[in-house]
Amino acid sequence: MDSFFDTCVIIHYSSFSKLVDNLLIKKCYDYISNKTGKFLLGYYIEEEIKTRIKKRSIVFQEALNKIINDSYKFEVSKYFNDLNERDKISVKKLYEAYKNNDTIKVKKIFTQDQIVFEMRIERFLKFFVDERVIKIEEIKTELLSVVKGYGYSHADSQVLTSAIQAQEGRKTFYLVAADKHFDPNGYEFLKEDPKLNKITFPELKNFIFEN
């Protein structure tokens, strides 16, 4: 079957390292590396990936700023305050993990990690994606509104709506996710909405809910 990707799967794939013992990341890496069928990518997801690259770089830089200068205050940094809560936690975890290390070595580690991450993203976009689908301006407002009504965030609603629209006129493909918000029960509930009873949905494949 073909696959349409949630942003998280691509981010996890690009974050893979043999040194990191994370089953979810490994599942995403293996799925993309052992490609079967066509890979579809929504334009909205591609924009999210570009944003994620920038945010990840800021996470490393903010942690490094504090490691270099312990008096550096996250709370007064515009870049830190613009991050979401998950990224703020990542900054603080990185700081705690590396605060006693040589700053030159830490900078090298962070820089290399970001380079590898961006190279994997570039490789995915260039060599793995077969077709880009549903431009952002093509996302249907009415369908998006119905999806949002089931408690999905703005970003998740954009991803899900893009996947549903891309499914039209195609053989059923996987919506491949690694996001707790795309839970199977909620997805089945959405499919039962009377406004969507004539729509064919992708088959949800969420690695978080797989054994």
Side-chain angles (χ1 to χ4, degrees):
M1 285 174 67
D2 296 342
S3 301
F4 180 104
F5 290 93
D6 168 40
T7 311
C8 289
V9 177
I10 303 164
I11 298 302
H12 286 328
Y13 158 78
S14 303
S15 303
F16 175 77
S17 168
K18 292 180 180 178
L19 301 176
V20 177
D21 184 20
N22 185 303
L23 182 58
L24 181 60
I25 288 176
K26 188 175 187 308
K27 283 182 177 180
C28 295
Y29 180 81
D30 288 345
Y31 187 87
I32 289 177
S33 298
N34 301 312
K35 178 181 178 181
T36 59
K38 281 186 175 182
F39 280 5
L40 310 177
L41 184 69
Y43 282 90
Y44 179 83
I45 290 85
E46 186 163 6
E47 287 303 309
E48 275 206 316
I49 291 169
K50 292 175 183 177
T51 299
R52 188 65 203 149
I53 290 172
K54 293 176 185 176
K55 292 290 185 183
R56 198 171 187 273
S57 180
I58 292 170
V59 166
F60 281 133
Q61 187 59 53
E62 285 296 288
L64 185 62
N65 289 344
K66 180 73 170 173
I67 292 166
I68 293 171
N69 178 11
D70 192 53
S71 64
Y72 184 83
K73 303 293 184 185
F74 292 135
E75 294 74 15
V76 298
S77 166
K78 178 185 182 302
Y79 296 106
F80 181 84
N81 288 321
D82 284 345
L83 296 172
N84 61 34
E85 288 305 313
R86 182 181 61 187
D87 286 338
K88 288 178 181 178
I89 291 170
S90 295
V91 170
K92 292 177 180 178
K93 283 184 175 179
L94 282 171
Y95 167 70
E96 290 297 329
Y98 289 97
K99 65 182 180 182
N100 296 320
N101 293 41
D102 178 76
T103 55
I104 294 175
K105 289 183 179 179
V106 173
K107 184 176 181 179
K108 185 177 181 180
I109 291 168
F110 287 0
T111 301
Q112 186 62 30
D113 193 291
Q114 184 70 9
I115 289 172
V116 171
F117 177 78
E118 292 187 25
M119 285 176 60
R120 283 229 182 94
I121 292 285
E122 184 178 358
R123 182 173 66 180
F124 174 81
L125 295 175
K126 189 172 182 179
F127 297 111
F128 285 85
V129 175
D130 295 289
E131 186 178 352
R132 286 166 170 79
V133 295
I134 312 302
K135 294 179 180 179
I136 295 173
E137 62 270 21
E138 294 173 346
I139 296 174
K140 295 177 181 177
T141 305
E142 185 176 346
L143 178 56
L144 181 66
S145 178
V146 174
V147 173
K148 279 185 177 180
Y150 283 82
Y152 293 101
S153 69
H154 175 74
D156 288 343
S157 296
Q158 296 272 5
V159 171
L160 193 46
T161 304
S162 296
I164 294 169
Q165 286 183 227
Q167 180 62 82
E168 185 177 355
R170 298 175 185 266
K171 289 183 179 180
T172 303
F173 56 68
Y174 287 124
L175 167 55
V176 186
D179 187 330
K180 65 181 181 180
H181 299 114
F182 291 147
D183 69 283
N185 290 336
Y187 190 65
E188 289 301 316
F189 194 46
L190 172 65
K191 288 163 68 174
E192 293 173 2
D193 188 289
K195 299 185 188 73
L196 308 180
N197 59 6
K198 294 183 179 180
I199 290 178
T200 301
F201 280 72
E203 182 177 333
L204 179 62
K205 183 178 183 65
N206 192 332
F207 293 122
I208 287 180
F209 297 94
E210 292 186 352
N211 295 326

